[in-house]
């Protein structure tokens, strides 16, 4: 994509990390269950109706299935990852310690060799090759391509549903990221590539808030896209910051696309403007890791990749307004999904390569 077609907004709502919670106790060595798991969430904590909540859903599913109890920690900021990992590993009572998010990689790279008998899993990085660590990664560019394809098609149409509508005179869509990093940039790259695949004339505006827990920053960034640039649809990969994107879409009568979970269900107040979500099955990664412990099949030093073919990522249409998207558009999105699976479409993971 030509560089002048992808404009960036800067300085929109950057704020510091917000304190959420500490560690929740009650299990560990005193548990009367057969298996114990330690959960260390990404900064931003639970209640994001997105990334962390999907991880918690996975451990809750495992608890329903197996004789399992778990402790959980919600770090206030990235500086606490090291301490939480060590706290869980020190006593040796946990069968698995789950590290949610790429930001825990550096701490785990230091800690895993210090506790060689402790099993760890980490989500969103393939960078740890220790024998006691299993890495889980997802095809974020492929899933984001799908919702980008949808956005690129719809922005050129006169379309209304729920509380939103497009302006067919302006083929503009937006992307709001949380913390600027290679992972979140891969969402942007896939989304932008999907928009371009659908519509050479569409413009993609991107902004990074600098935080995964800054609702007002997400709202400010999205409002600028809707009001100042005529965006019809904004996709976020920003955790709880993305709630602000939904708020902006609702107030402006435009559309948004969620991430990680089906946010039309998780954020019901904004279901009338959520066209779709790029669902990322973090819950499945957590469940699968626990299952491997229960079945004595845990394999460290390996990376498991979850993508479109196995449902690790997928575009899920909004529960309230998704059925109103024309069939000729959803059919095209279905076709590109199969082309992605068959390797007929290559998706970059860097926005500069789009």
């Amino acid at each position: 994509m030509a560089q002048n077609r992808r404009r960036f907004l800067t300085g929109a709502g950057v704020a510091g990390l917000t304190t959420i919670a500490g560690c929740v106790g009650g299990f560990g060595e005193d548990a009367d269950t057969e298996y114990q798991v330690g959960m260390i969430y990404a900064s931003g904590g639970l209640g994001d109706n997105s990334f962390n909540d999907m991880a918690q859903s996975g451990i809750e599913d495992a608890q329903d299935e197996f004789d399992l109890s778990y402790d959980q920690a919600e770090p206030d900021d990235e500086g606490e990852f090291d301490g939480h990992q060590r706290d869980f590993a020190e006593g040796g009572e946990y069968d698995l310690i789950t590290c949610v998010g790429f930001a825990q990689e550096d701490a785990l790279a230091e800690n895993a060799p210090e506790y060689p008998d402790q099993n760890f899993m980490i989500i969103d990085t393939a960078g740890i090759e220790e024998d006691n660590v299993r890495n889980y990664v997802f095809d974020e560019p492929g899933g984001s391509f799908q919702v980008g394809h949808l956005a690129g098609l719809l922005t050129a149409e006169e379309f209304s549903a729920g509380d939103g509508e497009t302006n067919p005179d302006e083929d503009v869509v937006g992307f709001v990221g949380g913390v600027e990093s290679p992972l979140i940039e891969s969402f942007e790259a896939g989304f932008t590539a999907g928009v371009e695949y659908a519509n050479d004339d569409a413009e993609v505006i991107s902004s990074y808030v600098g935080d995964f827990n800054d609702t007002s920053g997400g709202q400010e960034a999205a409002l600028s896209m809707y009001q100042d640039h005529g965006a019809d649809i904004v996709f976020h990969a920003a955790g709880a910051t993305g709630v602000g994107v939904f708020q902006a879409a609702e107030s402006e009568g435009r559309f948004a696309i969620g991430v990680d979970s089906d946010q039309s269900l998780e954020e019901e107040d904004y279901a009338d403007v959520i066209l779709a979500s790029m669902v990322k099955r973090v819950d499945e990664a957590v469940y699968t890791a626990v299952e491997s412990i229960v079945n004595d099949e845990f394999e460290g030093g390996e990376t498991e990749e979850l993508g479109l073919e196995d449902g690790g990522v997928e575009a899920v249409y909004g529960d309230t307004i998704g059925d109103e998207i024309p069939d000729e558009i959803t059919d095209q999105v279905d076709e590109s999904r199969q082309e992605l699976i068959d390797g007929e479409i290559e998706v970059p993971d860097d926005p500069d390569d789009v």
Side-chain angles (χ1 to χ4, degrees), residues 5 14 47 53 93 112 119 128 162 171 194 222 226 244 297 311 321 329 342:
R5 295 273 309 288
V14 178
D53 284 3
E93 65 264 26
N119 292 323
I128 301 180
D171 292 1
Y226 294 127
E297 296 174 349
I321 62 174
I329 287 180
D342 293 341

Side-chain angles (χ1 to χ4, degrees), residues 31-219:
D32 57 3
T33 56
E34 185 173 359
Y35 301 98
Q36 290 85 47
V37 176
M39 297 288 296
I40 306 171
Y41 296 107
S43 58
L46 294 170
D48 61 0
N49 286 332
S50 185
F51 186 62
N52 281 318
D53 284 3
M54 283 291 278
Q56 187 184 51
S57 177
I59 193 62
E60 289 176 345
D61 287 345
Q63 188 175 42
D64 289 341
E65 186 70 21
F66 308 116
D67 185 16
L68 168 73
S69 56
Y70 68 95
D71 275 337
Q72 56 190 19
E74 298 178 72
D76 293 332
D77 56 55
E78 295 181 8
E80 296 182 10
F81 290 144
D82 177 78
H84 283 304
Q85 290 174 12
R86 289 181 175 274
D87 287 345
F88 278 129
E90 196 67 41
E93 65 264 26
Y94 293 97
D95 299 283
L96 178 70
I97 297 173
T98 295
C99 302
V100 181
F102 67 89
Q104 299 203 42
E105 180 178 356
D106 289 346
L108 188 56
E110 294 289 331
N111 288 329
E114 296 294 319
Y115 302 95
D117 296 327
Q118 173 66 63
N119 292 323
F120 297 89
M121 68 92 78
I122 185 167
I123 294 169
D124 279 349
T125 181
I128 301 180
E129 299 179 355
E130 299 294 332
D131 290 341
N132 57 336
V133 179
R134 187 163 184 84
N135 303 267
Y136 286 82
V137 297
F138 298 82
D139 181 14
E140 291 91 359
S144 299
F145 182 99
Q146 287 274 271
V147 294
H149 190 193
L150 172 66
L153 292 169
L154 277 178
T155 190
E157 300 289 328
E158 187 172 348
F159 173 73
S160 64
D163 291 338
E165 62 181 359
T166 62
N167 175 5
D169 296 330
E170 297 286 344
D171 292 1
V172 180
V173 298
F175 171 82
V176 173
V179 175
E180 191 165 5
S181 63
L183 176 69
I184 304 304
E185 288 177 333
S186 76
F187 285 86
E188 180 196 348
F191 179 72
T192 304
V195 173
E196 183 187 54
Y197 181 83
N199 185 348
D200 284 339
D201 294 326
E203 180 180 16
V204 180
I205 302 170
S206 297
S207 176
Y208 286 83
V209 176
D211 198 329
F212 290 114
N213 195 39
D214 181 6
T215 300
S216 62
Q219 184 180 35

